[in-house]
Amino acid sequence: EDKVVQSPLSLVVHEGDTVTLNCSYEVTNFRSLLWYKQEKKAPTFLFMLTSSGIEKKSGRLSSILDKKELFSILNITATQTGDSAVYLCAATRVYDKIIFGKGTRLHILP
Amino acid sequence: NAGVTQTPKFRVLKTGQSMTLLCAQDMNHEYMYWYRQDPGMGLRLIHYSVGEGTTAKGEVPDGYNVSRLKKQNFLLGLESAAPSQTSVYFCASLTGGQPQHFGDGTRLSIL
């Protein structure tokens, strides 16, 4: 059965800290790994990863995929209160069935 | 360009009632999805469609039916609503190789 597991499920840090969110997956016919940020409404897209070892960056956020060990990490440096959200990881299969993890709830204290 | 539009945004039903949630996208996307999101559960796939006239079951399909008669619309039906179907429902669409675009969600309460 396909599954995506995220850890930790929740995390509280102080503003300025660096955080690492984890995502492991077991998906047949894996194609790509996606990261989303969800605040009050719909998830917003952060990264799509298809190749191992190639880091993607956007400002203070970065992510990398390891297709051999079947996991990905999302790093956020110099965290700000606006980074408080639920971060979702999802794995896509060749035929575009997309499986989400339960999410990591991140809370940044001022 | 509206993207993905879900209607209604909120709805309260009584147990046993039926209703249909509508998802419409104007991006000519092939693939469309219905998810439900419950506290601490992430997004769970109910049904999805890889093209007009086709549908497939996701992780939690029981109690739901779907139809994709037109490419731009994906309907989610609850034939006999149950309290366990109280949730926030998200629709999403994508075109091959690209990330999903999500609607703003429908908050459904079953009393």
Side-chain angles (χ1 to χ4, degrees):
Chain A
E1 184 181 331
D2 296 331
K3 62 180 179 180
V4 175
V5 179
Q6 292 186 245
S7 64
L9 292 180
S10 66
L11 186 58
V12 180
V13 300
H14 286 94
E15 203 166 22
D17 288 350
T18 294
V19 298
T20 298
L21 310 184
N22 304 295
C23 176
S24 65
Y25 62 92
E26 292 179 29
V27 173
T28 55
N29 299 316
F30 172 82
R31 187 163 85 173
S32 62
L33 195 290
L34 305 169
W35 284 98
Y36 290 86
K37 177 182 181 182
Q38 186 177 27
E39 296 173 271
K40 294 192 183 300
K41 286 193 171 179
T44 54
F45 171 72
L46 295 175
F47 298 109
M48 174 185 275
L49 304 158
T50 55
S51 301
S52 261
I54 299 175
E55 185 182 50
K56 292 211 171 181
K57 293 195 74 171
S58 177
R60 296 177 292 102
L61 279 66
S62 63
S63 184
I64 197 163
L65 175 67
D66 185 329
K67 291 170 76 172
K68 182 179 177 183
E69 300 297 329
L70 306 183
F71 79 91
S72 173
I73 60 172
L74 175 68
N75 279 320
I76 308 175
T77 59
T79 52
Q80 301 171 357
T81 54
D83 295 327
S84 295
V86 175
Y87 290 84
L88 296 166
C89 167
T92 74
R93 299 189 341 176
V94 171
Y95 295 105
D96 285 305
K97 183 178 178 181
I98 301 174
I99 306 297
F100 280 82
K102 293 183 178 182
T104 293
R105 183 173 295 277
L106 176 64
H107 186 64
I108 310 297
L109 299 171
Chain B
N1 191 348
V4 179
T5 303
Q6 291 183 231
T7 53
K9 296 192 186 312
F10 305 95
R11 186 72 183 268
V12 179
L13 291 178
K14 293 182 179 178
T15 297
Q17 287 185 315
S18 63
M19 80 160 294
T20 300
L21 307 184
L22 170 63
C23 176
Q25 53 94 5
D26 60 3
M27 297 170 284
N28 201 35
H29 285 173
E30 286 294 327
Y31 305 94
M32 296 187 74
Y33 307 80
W34 275 108
Y35 294 91
R36 61 177 290 173
Q37 187 172 37
D38 303 293
M41 296 297 291
L43 288 162
R44 292 185 292 170
L45 182 63
I46 305 172
H47 287 281
Y48 65 106
S49 169
V50 300
E52 180 179 320
T54 71
T55 63
K57 293 181 180 180
E59 304 167 80
V60 288
D62 295 340
Y64 304 95
N65 57 74
V66 288
S67 66
R68 183 98 181 270
L69 298 179
K70 292 183 178 181
K71 187 177 184 178
Q72 62 268 34
N73 296 334
F74 195 28
L75 305 178
L76 178 70
L78 285 73
E79 292 181 342
S80 179
S84 60
Q85 294 177 305
T86 292
S87 189
V88 179
Y89 291 85
F90 286 101
C91 175
S93 71
L94 65 81
T95 191
Q98 299 299 313
Q100 288 172 311
H101 294 253
F102 282 88
D104 286 339
T106 295
R107 187 173 294 276
L108 184 62
S109 294
I110 315 295
L111 304 178

